[in-house]
Amino acid sequence: ARAWTPRGFPSAISDMIVVGRSLETIPLGADQSAPARSADPAFDRQIRALGPDGQERLRRAAVGIVGVGGTSSATAEQVARLGVEDIVLIDKDCFEPSNLTRMYGSFSADTARPRFAPAFRCRRNRLKVDIVAKHIARINPRARILPVHGHVASTSVVGHLLDRAVIFCCTDDHWGLSVVNQIAYQYMIPVINMGVRIDA
């Protein structure tokens, strides 16, 4: 299959996503005939519930997660534990001490700052996306994780979501929420908005 871009050039389509009672990704290229991997005993309980084909669909699902704070780091961990091997993480923020209480994969050592480093400078190993990416890589070493540091409204950042089978939107930034919702409408990609409400 091919799609014609606004500039008039054909672009190959590698997958077709069928949205119905469940999501089905159908590879249109060489991967179509690739055999399913042998059952990993780590996923025994899931295979009993979903069957080997269901587990294989999870493994091959392309997942995007926007925001990697409290809700989304938990989502990222569960996605990795399900066996998903293609994950894009997007967040513009640097790790701060207040993130420690709710961000999975972060530790008190992440709050440390070199003695003479300016407080406003975010070093590469203190990006929230990198901390969560490192954490979920330890859970699922076969996963291909792309940590993207930037705001989802940026053209260079949002492009990483356009090939996803599903997107988890875990940001409370209204601009980011509107951009991700537009992706759902324009590209027919299911988006699950995640959030936590605390009544005091």
Side-chain angles (χ1 to χ4, degrees), residues 37-38 40 42-43 59 83-86 137 139-145:
R37 291 192 181 176
S38 58
D40 186 330
F43 305 117
R59 183 187 72 79
V84 174
E85 294 185 6
D86 185 354
I139 294 168
N140 187 351
R142 290 191 298 256
R144 297 177 310 280
I145 306 158

Side-chain angles (χ1 to χ4, degrees), residues 125-197:
N125 64 341
R126 293 297 186 260
L127 299 178
K128 288 166 71 173
V129 288
D130 288 343
I131 292 171
V132 174
K134 181 179 176 182
H135 178 60
I136 62 178
R138 291 177 64 207
I139 294 168
N140 187 351
R142 290 191 298 256
R144 297 177 310 280
I145 306 158
L146 177 62
V148 180
H149 179 239
H151 195 282
V152 71
S154 167
T155 304
S156 61
V157 173
V158 75
H160 294 291
L161 295 175
L162 302 184
D163 66 343
R164 305 289 91 189
V166 64
I167 300 169
F168 292 92
C169 186
C170 309
T171 178
D172 56 3
D173 169 32
H174 293 295
W175 189 17
L177 283 167
S178 67
V179 168
V180 175
N181 284 330
Q182 283 300 316
I183 292 172
Y185 304 141
Q186 293 181 18
Y187 293 90
M188 298 296 291
I189 299 173
V191 170
I192 300 173
N193 280 317
M194 306 287 289
V196 175
R197 174 178 166 170

Side-chain angles (χ1 to χ4, degrees), residues 1-16 28 162 186-187:
R2 291 186 299 173
W4 292 89
T5 66
R7 294 181 180 174
F9 299 106
S11 175
I13 296 176
S14 59
D15 299 290
M16 178 172 63
L28 301 176
L162 302 184
Q186 293 181 18
Y187 293 90

Side-chain angles (χ1 to χ4, degrees), residues 17-31:
I17 299 171
V18 180
V19 180
R21 291 186 66 218
S22 63
L23 292 176
E24 181 177 1
T25 302
I26 302 171
L28 301 176
D31 291 339

